[in-house]
Each structure stands twice: as structure tokens, then as C-alpha cells.
Amino acid sequence: MEKTFQPQQIEDHWYKLWEERGYFSPQGEGAPYCIVIPPPNVTGRLHMGHGFQHAIMDALIRFHRMQGRQALWQVGTDHAGIATQMVVERQLAAAGTNRHEVGREAFVDKVWDWKEESGGIITQQLRRMGSSLDWSRERFTMDEQLSAVVEKVFVDLYNEGLIYRGNRLVNWDPQLHTAISDLEVISEEEDGHLWHFNYPIADSDQHLTIATTRPETMLGDAAVAVHPEDERYTHLIGKFVDLPLCNRRIPIIADDYVDPEFGTGCVKITPAHDFNDYEMGKRHNLEVINILTDNASINDEAPATYRGLDRFEARKQLVADLEALGLVEKIEPHKLKVPRGDRSGVVIEPYLTHQWYVAIQSLADPAIKAVEDGDIEFVPKNWENTYFAWMRNIQDWCISRQLWWGHRIPAWYDEDNNVYVGHSEVDVRAKHEIDDSVVLRQDEDVLDTWFSSALWTFSTLGWPDDTEYFNKFHPTDVLVTGFDIIFFWVARMIMMTLKFTGEIPFKKVYITGLVRDEHGQKMSKSKGNILDPIDLIDGIELDELVEKRTADMMQPQLKEKIARLTRDSFPEGIAAYGTDALRFTYYSLASTGRDIKFDVGRTEGFRNFCNKIWNAARYAMMNSEGKAIATDWDPAQFSSADRWILSRLEQTTSEVLEAVDNYRFDLASQALHEFIWNEYCDWYLELSKPILWDEDNNPEAAQATRKVLLTVLERSLRLLHPFMPFLTEEIWQKLAPALGIVGDSIMLQPYPEFDADNVDAAAQSEIDWLKGIIVAIRNIRGEMDISPARSISVFLRGGEEQDQNYLQSNLMYLQKLAKLENIEWLSAESEAPAAATGLYGNVEVLVPLAGLIDVSAEQARLEKEIGKLEAGLKAVSGKLNNEKFVSNAPEAVVTKERQKQQELQAAADALKAKFEELSKL
RNA sequence: AGGCGCGUAGCUCAGUUGGUUAGAGCGCUACCUUGACAUGGUAGAGGUCACCAGUUCGAAUCUGGUCGUGCCUACCA
């Protein structure tokens, strides 16, 4: 074995072998266990969020697979309508053309080409994470079979009246030329203005002052509204104003939507370009005047001077023209929420179009109930509030998009625009008896990407035709995802799955936190703080990292700043830490209900942990190869250390099982780290040395210890495997034969179970004693500056018979681990030499001074120790002197405090006596 | 405006139903290249658990409030 762990040499090898041998497919006869992958964009790249979620899903899958479940991790990718189409459109733009020139069919072909070309990247990256996904069942949302499900769902919902076509205001993206849903609109506060304009009151010399944040929409004004009880304006209700620049006369209406406190209390009403105005327009039968084109420039409804102007150009022009007419009362700075498309970043327009909608209420009700009744549980539970809040106020879902990449809507129109919905044109003609002489054209639009994603759990498992996997694995066990897509995806899956299969899609929803950078900042291209999981696995040179982070940056000053920041954060670039170390970092940070700040320092620490395990294995192997190992499991031959480590392993097993049960991967990883490093390596390996090196005198003991050494390691590897798949496999393959274990892979071995009978309290208390004495001696060595190379003599005094027995049975350990010349028990009566003193319980540990240390240093050390004891004593005594505590606290608590008081008192007294003795010298 | 979190060592975080002298890792200090590992070992320093009040014999933990901070939802033109 190499002296250090070299992850890159083993990872590809094992992953390929696992995949080739079909280990990722469900096996055996155990109860099914299933997770579906949140499908990544087929042309996307792996990011830290994926890395985190995959680490968790893979741990769950491997854990349950080892527990004997038929584990299926269903894999697949998403066509990601807008995102993918935008990429290809950008490619066209770079080539000096666009999709309209290319034409629909050729464009869609190009997108498929791009999918083929780049689609393998993300799936290769998922493999690098060690994810045990069942690649033999890989799906894509636009596969034939999945598309058929999409079509069926659409047609069925339509036939039930739950999908309808409506002409109403939608969120329109004027750059992408498509409608988007409410969820795809991001509103953030921006600086703007509040313009106050004077609208002349008809047939008078008076005017009304209205306030608006969007002057250009005045071209579509249909009324001015005031509050019905606003005394300033009641006399004007029913009268008219002359809309400046437009030569139109519009009414003054009353509506209690108007807030008299805001602005002037007069609102211009533009039904075609504002959601609230649209509703008010319906209430008052106002004309809906659309003044914008698809590009959000001014259309022909407006006066000629403004036609063709971009909306923001028109705004400037209008303000200037009103200014010239003396109709601008004032302009105030004003903060307002500006709606922007989450993909394009441009300002979204409420825009009147024909779109397809899902009538959502009847789907939402059972979906709410499923969570209320606990059929579906969120982890952590508080996300259920978020879910309920949105679901109880849900709006109909706009599902049509004016894109070319996606599932085309299965609706056809005749020349009179009558709509026919069906599985195909042939189907539609047959159903509606439409003659071939009638020309039908299919709806141009495609469905929102999330429409097909909503069907993911059951469409990927073969519903409705091929039901073997569906029947076995659905409902799935747990969905692992981020809070940001609870509405986009989780809620819609619950609704659609209940509607069509009558089953919940999953029993649990584990919501992960967001992965942020080490300072808690969101990772983003513009901040230049993105970490690529693959770079943490393979490492990356500083220059390359800087190049990567600053590529395609528009602003040069941003580029410089990011380069500087990157050089500060990673002066040496990033080392190759390997997948296991990266995964373990995720687990260690995965406490529930909290975002995680990703600190590369942690990854380095866990890389070291991998190396520690590697070397522990080297030690175990070096000490076993070619040597006799006990064949029987004979506890009578076990040393106290053997029994202790077995007992601690048992407890660790219990902790890990419980932690995984509760989705507490942080606690699981902590328990494993603590056990393997601080107990197995730091203590057990050291305790095994005296026995293994004393083989000539006691071969049975050495053989038994060898057995335990290997057994504990082997079982630890199995405990650890779901978290560190590669390292554990590599070592296990070398180790298993030494123990006579036959098996092809650790991933097919059983997961350790907890057996309370294997907890050995006696062994634990004995080794605790041993550790306590050794630590007391080392402490004196350390603080008194006694060279580690120097052997010393130690006396023990006080204590009970048990302590003396422990000394006798642990002499060899003490001599080796504390580097002792000699250690013996002093009877209580005998005179102690001048010595430095430590305590373990009521055992005094005496290191004779002669020639080793100076008295004042020891006194200073004692004073410090006494100080600590007295602080504790003060706290305990305070409690016990409080009569209310003694009379009210439970008996057990009081007894415990009393005992503690005695121990502290005895210890303090003993050290004080030592201090006095030293003073006499 | 409502809702959900968070605030514990220099940094990143644990702390289960209120009861240990509040823990871990990283970082820091000192010593040590001892026959698994310097990606290591041994020892050590470091916290009035954001603040205030309350409940209780007892609060990092429960309640109320204040401050700071992050996010989500709905918005007034």
C-alpha cells in the first residue's frame, strides 16, 4: 500500500467496476427502497448544490442497499425548456443568425444535437460523485415514453375541464417572447420615480393629479380611480378627464382598492398593463387598451408619435411632452419592486394573451390534505408551513410557453379557431369527425418544463403501461431537494401524482439548505465565488481557477476584483482532495434546517481523515500479513482493550443508525470521525502494539488482538461505506480476505446492526481508567517539560482495590504508552517522595521530582489545577447550600451533586496537601 | 406588511425531553521526525452561549421583548 491515500488512482476504477457489474440495480428480495433524482438540466453542469444533494441521496441509497433493501435510485435528466433553448439561441446569435431564420424544425434539431453533445457531461459528473444511480434506467423528460405520459395527462385534464385556454394578463417576457409563471418572476426593490401628472378635468379648467411609476402606460389608460369615501374627490366621481396627448376622454370612477393615503389618492387605471387595474377594469367594464407589442415597444393603438418606441424610450418622450404642456406636477424619487424574468433578467410586462392554464384548486386540496394528514412529511418539519402558505393561496398555473424546445401542446385549431385536444391530429380528426379537407394546425406553444417534471416519480417508473417498477417502487421513499423548488416542483408533483396515480409521490421530503461560500454569501458567477465540486475532487491550479471564474465577464473591474479575491482565498489553488473527502464535508455540515457555509478547510481536514484511515489500514495489514490470526471468536482471549474497542464500535453503530434514521448526517459523520480517529487510531492501535510486539510471550493474545484489529476495521469500513464509498471499497478489498470474508464488493455487504449485548461496560470502565492515568502522566510531562524521550518512574497512591487491580492488569500498556521506567502502588501509609501530582478520580499519580522539574513550576501547575477544582466546587456548593434546590430537585440530581462535591473536595484537598509539602522543601 | 430561520471559542458548527466545570474540527502556542500516518503525535491557551426581563430550586435550552442578520410570500399606483 502507498504511504498516503491517493484518491485519483482508485475512484474511476471502482466506479466503472460497480457500474459494469450492475451493482446499482435493485437486487435481492428485500423491501423496496426508492429515491428519484431531481433531474438536472441535460445540458447543465454539476454545482455545489448538486454535490450536496447527491452526497445525501447516495448515502441513503447505499445505506438501505446494504441493509438488504431492493434499492433503486432512479436517474434521468430534464430538457429544461427555456434554459436550453437560450443556450442554443446564443450559439445561433454568435453565428450571426437566429431561430426564426433557421426555422422551427431545424432549430429543434439543433437543440437535440446540443443535447447529444453536452448531455453526457452532467451524467459523467454525477458518476464522479460516486452516486450509485441505476444508469440502466436512465430517462429524459422528452423520451418517447415520458412524452406520452405528458400528453395523456394533458388530454385527461383537458377532458375533465381542468385545463383550459384563457385570454388574460400573463407575465410576459419581452426578450424571450414567452409567457412565464408567477414563480419565474423575481421582484426586487429598485430605485425609480413617482411621477405626478395633471389630467385636465373635462369641460373645466380644473385638473386631477395622478401619481404613477410607469408613465408610458398612460397611453392605455381607461379611467382614473379614487376612493369612494375620499372627500377630496367625491364630487368628481362620474365625471371625465381628458387624457393628455391621446385625445381620449376617460371616466373618473370610485373603487375602494384605491388607497387615499398613497400619492395623490388618484390612480390612473390601465387594464391592459397592470394586474390590479385589469381586475378593476373588469369590475367597471373598462376598455382594455393594449399599447405594447411582443417586444414591449409601443404599438399602433397609441398616438403616432410614440409608435415603435421602446417602452423606456416612450417613457422619456412622454414625460418630456407632458412637461412641455405644463402637466408635470412633480417627480419624486421612489423605491419600487420591479418584476424581472428569472432567466432573461428583463422587466416583465403584464400582457394580454391567450394561454393554457391548469385549474389548480381541485388538485391542490388533496395535496394539502396529504401533508396535513402526515402521509407526506417534510424534514425539517417547518417547511410544511411554507408549503401550506403557498398551497392555500394557489393561483391557476399558466403552462404554455412560446418556445420551440419542449413538449408541444396537443391541441389543434381549424380555420375558425375551434380548438381540438387529443393525442395526435389523427386522433383529433377521428374523435371529432373532421374531414381531411379541413386544415388543422397544431398549437405553436410548448408546455412549461415543470409540467413534465411534475410527473417525474411515476413517468420514470413506467406508469401507466409498464407497471412492474411502478408497482414495486412507487410511492418512493424520500425526495431530497432544496427549498427553492418546493413550489416549482415538490408541490406540483404531489398534486399531479395524487391526481393520476391516486398515490403520494414520496413519503418524506428532505429539504437541504443552500450551499453558500465560507462567508455565507450565495455562490454566483457575478460574485466570482463559485466552487466547482469537480475542482475539489481533482484540484485546480490557481491561474486556471482565476481564469475559470473570470471568463465571460462583461465588466473588467469586476474581473479584477474577482481575480484578487480568488488569489486571496486560494493562494495555492485547490488541492485534489478526492470524492470521499468532499462528500464527508457535505455530511459534516448537513445539520437540518440550515444553510451550509462551505469551507474548503473542512475538506482538507477530511482528506487528512481519509489518509488516517488509509494508514490505520496499512498498520493493520502490515501486522497481519503472514502472521497467525485467531480463527475462532474467543472473547476469553481478548484483552481489555480488545473488549473496549468492540464495545465502543457497538455504540458507534447505534449512533450512526439513529443519526441516519433522523437524516442527521452531521451526527453520523461526527460519530464515525470520533470513533475511528480518536478511539481506534489514537488509542486502540497504540494499545495493540504492546501485545503484538510481545507475541513470543503470549501468542494467543497477539492472535486474538490481530483478529479484533481487523474485525473492527472491517466493520468500521462497512459503517463508513455509504459516506466514503471509494476509500472503503479499496481497503475492504485488501482486508476482507485476511478475515476470510467472501464477497465481490463492500457495497453488497450487510450494514452493521446494533446488538446491545455487545456493549461491555466493564471493559469501558477499565480502559477509561487506563486512559485517565496515562493522560495524567502525559499532562505532567507536557506541562513540566519532561522530554518525551525520557523514561520516568511513577507511583500511584490512594484509590480502591479496583484501581490496584487495574494497575496490575494494565502494567504493560502503561509502560509503553506513557514511556515509564517503572510504575508501582504506594501504600497509603508509606512516605511519598517529593513529586509532581496528578489525579484520576481519587487515585494520585505521582511523578517523583528528583532531577526532573523545579518546585516552583510544579506549585504553579498545582495552583492552576486547584483553581479549576475550586471553581467547580463553588458552583456545586452553591447549589447544595440552596435549601430550595435540595428540597425541590429530584433525589437523583441531588445525590449526584453531593457525590460531585465530595470528589471535588477530596481532589482539591489532596492537591493542596501536595502544595504544602512542596513548600517545606 | 406578514411568515420562517439564525445569533454558542478567531473561523465553521454540535449541544436530543431545562440538571457535567458548555463540546468538536480548523486555526493558534509549545514540544516531538518514537518501527501506520508530519495529510502525523503529545500537551496547552481560548467562550459572562447577542442583549433585557420573566418562569423555575436550576436556563445555551422554555416564555415575552429588544437589537443584529439571512431568507420566503404578498404588495400601494
mmCIF file of all heavy atoms in Angstrom, chain A residues 584-614:
data_model
loop_
_atom_site.group_PDB
_atom_site.id
_atom_site.type_symbol
_atom_site.label_atom_id
_atom_site.label_comp_id
_atom_site.label_asym_id
_atom_site.label_seq_id
_atom_site.Cartn_x
_atom_site.Cartn_y
_atom_site.Cartn_z
ATOM 1 N N PHE A 584 -17.653 13.787 2.591
ATOM 2 C CA PHE A 584 -17.685 13.838 4.048
ATOM 3 C C PHE A 584 -17.861 15.275 4.538
ATOM 4 O O PHE A 584 -18.487 15.518 5.566
ATOM 5 C CB PHE A 584 -16.420 13.211 4.631
ATOM 6 C CG PHE A 584 -16.688 12.437 5.900
ATOM 7 C CD1 PHE A 584 -17.346 11.222 5.842
ATOM 8 C CD2 PHE A 584 -16.303 12.934 7.141
ATOM 9 C CE1 PHE A 584 -17.620 10.502 7.007
ATOM 10 C CE2 PHE A 584 -16.576 12.222 8.299
ATOM 11 C CZ PHE A 584 -17.232 11.001 8.237
ATOM 12 N N THR A 585 -17.330 16.223 3.783
ATOM 13 C CA THR A 585 -17.529 17.623 4.143
ATOM 14 C C THR A 585 -19.019 17.964 4.110
ATOM 15 O O THR A 585 -19.536 18.618 5.023
ATOM 16 C CB THR A 585 -16.782 18.541 3.165
ATOM 17 O OG1 THR A 585 -15.452 18.075 3.000
ATOM 18 C CG2 THR A 585 -16.771 19.968 3.671
ATOM 19 N N TYR A 586 -19.683 17.523 3.061
ATOM 20 C CA TYR A 586 -21.116 17.791 2.972
ATOM 21 C C TYR A 586 -21.856 17.199 4.179
ATOM 22 O O TYR A 586 -22.691 17.861 4.782
ATOM 23 C CB TYR A 586 -21.698 17.177 1.695
ATOM 24 C CG TYR A 586 -21.301 17.859 0.400
ATOM 25 C CD1 TYR A 586 -20.766 17.138 -0.646
ATOM 26 C CD2 TYR A 586 -21.506 19.219 0.218
ATOM 27 C CE1 TYR A 586 -20.436 17.729 -1.850
ATOM 28 C CE2 TYR A 586 -21.168 19.826 -0.983
ATOM 29 C CZ TYR A 586 -20.645 19.078 -2.018
ATOM 30 O OH TYR A 586 -20.322 19.681 -3.208
ATOM 31 N N TYR A 587 -21.551 15.968 4.498
ATOM 32 C CA TYR A 587 -22.266 15.333 5.615
ATOM 33 C C TYR A 587 -22.030 16.092 6.909
ATOM 34 O O TYR A 587 -22.945 16.315 7.688
ATOM 35 C CB TYR A 587 -21.831 13.881 5.789
ATOM 36 C CG TYR A 587 -22.052 13.025 4.567
ATOM 37 C CD1 TYR A 587 -21.017 12.311 3.986
ATOM 38 C CD2 TYR A 587 -23.311 12.958 3.976
ATOM 39 C CE1 TYR A 587 -21.208 11.545 2.860
ATOM 40 C CE2 TYR A 587 -23.514 12.196 2.838
ATOM 41 C CZ TYR A 587 -22.459 11.490 2.278
ATOM 42 O OH TYR A 587 -22.653 10.748 1.155
ATOM 43 N N SER A 588 -20.771 16.470 7.114
ATOM 44 C CA SER A 588 -20.444 17.094 8.394
ATOM 45 C C SER A 588 -21.177 18.420 8.555
ATOM 46 O O SER A 588 -21.402 18.881 9.670
ATOM 47 C CB SER A 588 -18.940 17.299 8.511
ATOM 48 O OG SER A 588 -18.534 18.361 7.671
ATOM 49 N N LEU A 589 -21.537 19.040 7.437
ATOM 50 C CA LEU A 589 -22.203 20.350 7.509
ATOM 51 C C LEU A 589 -23.724 20.232 7.389
ATOM 52 O O LEU A 589 -24.420 21.227 7.445
ATOM 53 C CB LEU A 589 -21.669 21.247 6.385
ATOM 54 C CG LEU A 589 -20.198 21.637 6.516
ATOM 55 C CD1 LEU A 589 -19.708 22.308 5.249
ATOM 56 C CD2 LEU A 589 -19.996 22.568 7.701
ATOM 57 N N ALA A 590 -24.206 19.015 7.239
ATOM 58 C CA ALA A 590 -25.625 18.836 6.899
ATOM 59 C C ALA A 590 -26.516 18.737 8.119
ATOM 60 O O ALA A 590 -27.295 17.808 8.243
ATOM 61 C CB ALA A 590 -25.795 17.598 6.007
ATOM 62 N N SER A 591 -26.417 19.686 9.013
ATOM 63 C CA SER A 591 -27.433 19.687 10.068
ATOM 64 C C SER A 591 -28.696 20.234 9.433
ATOM 65 O O SER A 591 -28.643 21.053 8.533
ATOM 66 C CB SER A 591 -27.006 20.506 11.276
ATOM 67 O OG SER A 591 -26.583 21.773 10.891
ATOM 68 N N THR A 592 -29.835 19.783 9.869
ATOM 69 C CA THR A 592 -31.076 20.096 9.161
ATOM 70 C C THR A 592 -31.513 21.538 9.409
ATOM 71 O O THR A 592 -31.213 22.121 10.445
ATOM 72 C CB THR A 592 -32.205 19.148 9.596
ATOM 73 O OG1 THR A 592 -32.296 19.167 11.021
ATOM 74 C CG2 THR A 592 -31.928 17.740 9.137
ATOM 75 N N GLY A 593 -32.206 22.063 8.420
ATOM 76 C CA GLY A 593 -32.836 23.366 8.587
ATOM 77 C C GLY A 593 -31.864 24.520 8.612
ATOM 78 O O GLY A 593 -32.109 25.528 9.251
ATOM 79 N N ARG A 594 -30.767 24.388 7.916
ATOM 80 C CA ARG A 594 -29.760 25.419 7.976
ATOM 81 C C ARG A 594 -28.981 25.441 6.678
ATOM 82 O O ARG A 594 -28.641 24.387 6.155
ATOM 83 C CB ARG A 594 -28.845 25.040 9.140
ATOM 84 C CG ARG A 594 -28.065 26.148 9.681
ATOM 85 C CD ARG A 594 -27.332 25.700 10.915
ATOM 86 N NE ARG A 594 -26.417 26.769 11.209
ATOM 87 C CZ ARG A 594 -26.261 27.324 12.398
ATOM 88 N NH1 ARG A 594 -26.910 26.859 13.425
ATOM 89 N NH2 ARG A 594 -25.438 28.313 12.574
ATOM 90 N N ASP A 595 -28.696 26.611 6.167
ATOM 91 C CA ASP A 595 -27.827 26.692 5.008
ATOM 92 C C ASP A 595 -26.433 26.252 5.424
ATOM 93 O O ASP A 595 -26.085 26.321 6.595
ATOM 94 C CB ASP A 595 -27.763 28.138 4.495
ATOM 95 C CG ASP A 595 -29.036 28.523 3.760
ATOM 96 O OD1 ASP A 595 -29.857 27.620 3.508
ATOM 97 O OD2 ASP A 595 -29.213 29.715 3.473
ATOM 98 N N ILE A 596 -25.633 25.820 4.460
ATOM 99 C CA ILE A 596 -24.294 25.431 4.845
ATOM 100 C C ILE A 596 -23.263 26.351 4.221
ATOM 101 O O ILE A 596 -23.334 26.710 3.044
ATOM 102 C CB ILE A 596 -23.992 23.952 4.532
ATOM 103 C CG1 ILE A 596 -23.946 23.665 3.054
ATOM 104 C CG2 ILE A 596 -25.011 23.058 5.210
ATOM 105 C CD1 ILE A 596 -23.525 22.237 2.775
ATOM 106 N N LYS A 597 -22.333 26.772 5.059
ATOM 107 C CA LYS A 597 -21.232 27.593 4.580
ATOM 108 C C LYS A 597 -20.096 26.635 4.291
ATOM 109 O O LYS A 597 -19.577 25.990 5.198
ATOM 110 C CB LYS A 597 -20.835 28.609 5.650
ATOM 111 C CG LYS A 597 -21.936 29.602 5.925
ATOM 112 C CD LYS A 597 -21.523 30.626 6.958
ATOM 113 C CE LYS A 597 -22.763 31.357 7.445
ATOM 114 N NZ LYS A 597 -22.494 32.187 8.620
ATOM 115 N N PHE A 598 -19.742 26.580 3.034
ATOM 116 C CA PHE A 598 -18.774 25.578 2.629
ATOM 117 C C PHE A 598 -17.356 26.102 2.805
ATOM 118 O O PHE A 598 -16.957 27.070 2.182
ATOM 119 C CB PHE A 598 -19.001 25.172 1.177
ATOM 120 C CG PHE A 598 -18.265 23.923 0.834
ATOM 121 C CD1 PHE A 598 -18.889 22.699 0.942
ATOM 122 C CD2 PHE A 598 -16.928 23.967 0.446
ATOM 123 C CE1 PHE A 598 -18.198 21.537 0.662
ATOM 124 C CE2 PHE A 598 -16.236 22.807 0.169
ATOM 125 C CZ PHE A 598 -16.869 21.589 0.275
ATOM 126 N N ASP A 599 -16.626 25.429 3.680
ATOM 127 C CA ASP A 599 -15.273 25.846 3.989
ATOM 128 C C ASP A 599 -14.301 24.769 3.497
ATOM 129 O O ASP A 599 -14.342 23.633 3.946
ATOM 130 C CB ASP A 599 -15.158 26.017 5.507
ATOM 131 C CG ASP A 599 -13.791 26.525 5.915
ATOM 132 O OD1 ASP A 599 -12.934 26.688 5.041
ATOM 133 O OD2 ASP A 599 -13.591 26.756 7.125
ATOM 134 N N VAL A 600 -13.443 25.163 2.555
ATOM 135 C CA VAL A 600 -12.517 24.188 1.982
ATOM 136 C C VAL A 600 -11.598 23.605 3.062
ATOM 137 O O VAL A 600 -11.119 22.482 2.953
ATOM 138 C CB VAL A 600 -11.697 24.820 0.839
ATOM 139 C CG1 VAL A 600 -10.723 23.819 0.252
ATOM 140 C CG2 VAL A 600 -12.630 25.312 -0.258
ATOM 141 N N GLY A 601 -11.381 24.374 4.126
ATOM 142 C CA GLY A 601 -10.575 23.875 5.232
ATOM 143 C C GLY A 601 -11.127 22.576 5.808
ATOM 144 O O GLY A 601 -10.375 21.690 6.219
ATOM 145 N N ARG A 602 -12.455 22.492 5.804
ATOM 146 C CA ARG A 602 -13.070 21.252 6.295
ATOM 147 C C ARG A 602 -12.731 20.093 5.371
ATOM 148 O O ARG A 602 -12.448 18.975 5.820
ATOM 149 C CB ARG A 602 -14.598 21.402 6.390
ATOM 150 C CG ARG A 602 -15.059 22.454 7.385
ATOM 151 C CD ARG A 602 -14.833 22.044 8.817
ATOM 152 N NE ARG A 602 -15.572 20.873 9.229
ATOM 153 C CZ ARG A 602 -16.657 20.890 10.006
ATOM 154 N NH1 ARG A 602 -17.138 22.031 10.433
ATOM 155 N NH2 ARG A 602 -17.256 19.777 10.361
ATOM 156 N N THR A 603 -12.777 20.355 4.087
ATOM 157 C CA THR A 603 -12.475 19.298 3.118
ATOM 158 C C THR A 603 -11.040 18.805 3.293
ATOM 159 O O THR A 603 -10.769 17.607 3.253
ATOM 160 C CB THR A 603 -12.684 19.817 1.682
ATOM 161 O OG1 THR A 603 -13.960 20.443 1.604
ATOM 162 C CG2 THR A 603 -12.630 18.679 0.676
ATOM 163 N N GLU A 604 -10.149 19.758 3.517
ATOM 164 C CA GLU A 604 -8.761 19.366 3.746
ATOM 165 C C GLU A 604 -8.660 18.482 4.988
ATOM 166 O O GLU A 604 -7.958 17.468 4.994
ATOM 167 C CB GLU A 604 -7.881 20.605 3.905
ATOM 168 C CG GLU A 604 -6.434 20.260 4.072
ATOM 169 C CD GLU A 604 -5.514 21.467 3.987
ATOM 170 O OE1 GLU A 604 -5.959 22.522 3.502
ATOM 171 O OE2 GLU A 604 -4.355 21.350 4.418
ATOM 172 N N GLY A 605 -9.392 18.874 6.032
ATOM 173 C CA GLY A 605 -9.405 18.073 7.255
ATOM 174 C C GLY A 605 -9.883 16.657 6.997
ATOM 175 O O GLY A 605 -9.328 15.693 7.539
ATOM 176 N N PHE A 606 -10.881 16.525 6.148
ATOM 177 C CA PHE A 606 -11.407 15.179 5.894
ATOM 178 C C PHE A 606 -10.530 14.413 4.909
ATOM 179 O O PHE A 606 -10.522 13.187 4.922
ATOM 180 C CB PHE A 606 -12.865 15.252 5.436
ATOM 181 C CG PHE A 606 -13.771 15.715 6.538
ATOM 182 C CD1 PHE A 606 -14.617 16.803 6.379
ATOM 183 C CD2 PHE A 606 -13.768 15.068 7.774
ATOM 184 C CE1 PHE A 606 -15.432 17.238 7.413
ATOM 185 C CE2 PHE A 606 -14.577 15.493 8.809
ATOM 186 C CZ PHE A 606 -15.410 16.584 8.631
ATOM 187 N N ARG A 607 -9.807 15.137 4.060
ATOM 188 C CA ARG A 607 -8.801 14.454 3.242
ATOM 189 C C ARG A 607 -7.779 13.813 4.189
ATOM 190 O O ARG A 607 -7.365 12.665 4.030
ATOM 191 C CB ARG A 607 -8.126 15.472 2.305
ATOM 192 C CG ARG A 607 -7.190 14.896 1.265
ATOM 193 C CD ARG A 607 -5.738 14.782 1.730
ATOM 194 N NE ARG A 607 -5.271 15.935 2.465
ATOM 195 C CZ ARG A 607 -4.471 16.872 1.990
ATOM 196 N NH1 ARG A 607 -4.045 16.790 0.747
ATOM 197 N NH2 ARG A 607 -4.091 17.882 2.731
ATOM 198 N N ASN A 608 -7.403 14.569 5.218
ATOM 199 C CA ASN A 608 -6.481 14.023 6.209
ATOM 200 C C ASN A 608 -7.093 12.823 6.926
ATOM 201 O O ASN A 608 -6.396 11.861 7.256
ATOM 202 C CB ASN A 608 -6.103 15.097 7.228
ATOM 203 C CG ASN A 608 -5.346 16.248 6.597
ATOM 204 O OD1 ASN A 608 -4.975 16.177 5.422
ATOM 205 N ND2 ASN A 608 -5.137 17.305 7.356
ATOM 206 N N PHE A 609 -8.379 12.905 7.161
ATOM 207 C CA PHE A 609 -9.085 11.796 7.800
ATOM 208 C C PHE A 609 -9.014 10.543 6.912
ATOM 209 O O PHE A 609 -8.759 9.430 7.398
ATOM 210 C CB PHE A 609 -10.538 12.198 8.065
ATOM 211 C CG PHE A 609 -11.378 11.133 8.718
ATOM 212 C CD1 PHE A 609 -10.911 10.403 9.804
ATOM 213 C CD2 PHE A 609 -12.672 10.879 8.261
ATOM 214 C CE1 PHE A 609 -11.698 9.430 10.415
ATOM 215 C CE2 PHE A 609 -13.466 9.914 8.863
ATOM 216 C CZ PHE A 609 -12.972 9.187 9.936
ATOM 217 N N CYS A 610 -9.217 10.748 5.622
ATOM 218 C CA CYS A 610 -9.082 9.616 4.684
ATOM 219 C C CYS A 610 -7.699 8.998 4.802
ATOM 220 O O CYS A 610 -7.539 7.772 4.830
ATOM 221 C CB CYS A 610 -9.291 10.085 3.234
ATOM 222 S SG CYS A 610 -10.970 10.577 2.846
ATOM 223 N N ASN A 611 -6.702 9.874 4.858
ATOM 224 C CA ASN A 611 -5.335 9.386 4.956
ATOM 225 C C ASN A 611 -5.099 8.642 6.268
ATOM 226 O O ASN A 611 -4.365 7.663 6.320
ATOM 227 C CB ASN A 611 -4.377 10.577 4.843
ATOM 228 C CG ASN A 611 -2.941 10.138 4.701
ATOM 229 O OD1 ASN A 611 -2.618 9.376 3.800
ATOM 230 N ND2 ASN A 611 -2.098 10.571 5.616
ATOM 231 N N LYS A 612 -5.759 9.136 7.296
ATOM 232 C CA LYS A 612 -5.635 8.484 8.608
ATOM 233 C C LYS A 612 -6.180 7.058 8.532
ATOM 234 O O LYS A 612 -5.558 6.113 9.027
ATOM 235 C CB LYS A 612 -6.416 9.304 9.633
ATOM 236 C CG LYS A 612 -6.188 8.885 11.073
ATOM 237 C CD LYS A 612 -4.867 9.397 11.563
ATOM 238 C CE LYS A 612 -4.621 8.981 13.010
ATOM 239 N NZ LYS A 612 -3.261 9.323 13.440
ATOM 240 N N ILE A 613 -7.327 6.931 7.925
ATOM 241 C CA ILE A 613 -7.946 5.607 7.803
ATOM 242 C C ILE A 613 -7.048 4.701 6.956
ATOM 243 O O ILE A 613 -6.832 3.528 7.276
ATOM 244 C CB ILE A 613 -9.345 5.723 7.141
ATOM 245 C CG1 ILE A 613 -10.270 6.565 8.003
ATOM 246 C CG2 ILE A 613 -9.943 4.334 6.917
ATOM 247 C CD1 ILE A 613 -11.558 6.984 7.302
ATOM 248 N N TRP A 614 -6.550 5.280 5.889
ATOM 249 C CA TRP A 614 -5.659 4.541 4.993
ATOM 250 C C TRP A 614 -4.470 3.967 5.765
ATOM 251 O O TRP A 614 -4.106 2.803 5.619
ATOM 252 C CB TRP A 614 -5.190 5.504 3.900
ATOM 253 C CG TRP A 614 -4.286 4.924 2.877
ATOM 254 C CD1 TRP A 614 -2.931 5.069 2.808
ATOM 255 C CD2 TRP A 614 -4.664 4.104 1.772
ATOM 256 N NE1 TRP A 614 -2.448 4.390 1.726
ATOM 257 C CE2 TRP A 614 -3.490 3.786 1.068
ATOM 258 C CE3 TRP A 614 -5.888 3.614 1.311
ATOM 259 C CZ2 TRP A 614 -3.487 2.995 -0.079
ATOM 260 C CZ3 TRP A 614 -5.897 2.832 0.172
ATOM 261 C CH2 TRP A 614 -4.708 2.520 -0.509
#
